Amino acid sequence: MQSHTTRIAVWDKLIRLFHWSLLAAVVISFYTTKTTGQPFLFPIEVHAQSGYIIIGLLVFRFIWGLVGSPYARFSTFLYGPKKTAGYAKALMTRRAPHYASHNPVGGWMVVLLLVSLGFQALSGLFLSDDIFFQAPLYGLFGPSVGDVLARLHSLNSDLLLILIGLHLVGLVWHTLQGERLVPAMLTGVKRFSNVPADEKPAAYRAQKRYAIGALLVAAGVSGWLWFY
């Protein structure tokens, strides 16, 4: 007997563009602070600019999480404590159901990553290296608040590394369970031997004007910070 495979278009083009653009910006951001920053001539400037891009990307993701395609919406992959705990228990026994979008645990991990990234990028707007660089909002709330944000910015950087590490562990775990997550984020399509627990109508399409609006708002925010 041949097993039936269900192909579902999960990740739309904008979500895939967001994901890989965010990955590139985060890598550059960490590289310019955790290394000498070579071959960049002014690593601190590049670090700041990657932060501006991250803010724009997060603005887009928030909007698209409200009005975007079904599997991109927060309402699709954020579940209550009971269902999340039940999924976590089933995951440990390798009996967890498959989800087209993020599973209940993965959904909250995504939120944690987005919140931590958001804080990191926004807090950076108030910082200065006291030599070459001042962020757009440096000094807005006075030096004492700036000092606190600088410490939190540094601490959150370490937290981000932990969250990213957990994200990668989860990716490896699901890959070993047969879920090809990386190819799905490249092609947008996931394959299932059974219908996933969160299957959505295939005919739904996000309205084009929402996509244009989300992109314009995100580009406007990043552009304003870049040229401020």
Side-chain angles (χ1 to χ4, degrees):
M1 296 180 60
Q2 293 183 344
S3 61
H4 176 69
T5 299
T6 302
R7 290 166 52 93
I8 299 179
V10 176
W11 305 123
D12 61 67
K13 292 179 180 179
L14 291 179
I15 280 293
R16 283 177 277 154
L17 179 62
F18 160 81
H19 180 273
W20 297 114
S21 298
L22 185 65
L23 174 61
V26 169
V27 168
I28 291 173
S29 183
F30 273 107
Y31 177 80
T32 50
T33 54
K34 304 297 184 181
T35 70
T36 60
Q38 297 298 326
F40 299 114
L41 185 59
F42 298 106
I44 187 63
E45 289 285 352
V46 175
H47 178 78
Q49 290 162 357
S50 66
Y52 305 154
I53 292 173
I54 288 171
I55 290 174
L57 289 170
L58 293 178
V59 168
F60 163 78
R61 186 64 184 92
F62 175 76
I63 297 173
W64 206 237
L66 299 177
V67 301
S69 56
Y71 294 111
R73 295 191 180 197
F74 299 123
S75 59
T76 298
F77 60 81
L78 292 184
Y79 299 87
K82 184 176 180 179
K83 191 157 189 176
T84 303
Y87 178 85
K89 183 179 179 179
L91 187 65
M92 293 299 101
T93 60
R94 299 188 178 184
R95 296 178 180 176
H98 287 171
Y99 286 76
S101 184
H102 302 292
N103 61 61
V105 172
W108 287 110
M109 175 56 72
V110 167
V111 170
L112 285 175
L113 277 167
L114 294 179
V115 169
S116 184
L117 275 170
F119 176 81
Q120 192 69 5
L122 289 173
S123 62
L125 297 178
F126 299 87
L127 306 185
S128 168
D129 67 353
D130 296 323
I131 303 175
F132 300 111
F133 174 78
Q134 286 188 352
L137 303 182
Y138 174 71
L140 182 63
F141 298 119
S144 58
V145 174
D147 291 341
V148 171
L149 287 175
R151 290 194 294 272
L152 292 176
H153 189 80
S154 178
L155 290 172
N156 189 63
S157 174
D158 296 331
L159 173 61
L160 255 176
L161 287 174
I162 294 172
L163 292 176
I164 291 171
L166 291 174
H167 178 65
L168 293 175
V169 169
L171 177 64
V172 172
W173 173 271
H174 286 285
T175 299
L176 293 175
Q177 304 306 309
E179 289 191 66
R180 302 179 64 191
L181 298 180
V182 174
M185 191 51 75
L186 289 170
T187 65
V189 176
K190 278 188 175 183
R191 293 173 174 81
F192 301 90
S193 56
N194 297 300
V195 176
D198 60 338
E199 184 186 27
K200 299 294 180 184
Y204 180 94
R205 290 182 180 273
Q207 295 187 31
K208 189 175 181 179
R209 67 175 182 270
Y210 289 156
I212 295 174
L215 290 171
L216 288 176
V217 171
V221 171
S222 284
W224 179 79
L225 293 170
W226 193 295
F227 298 105
Y228 181 82

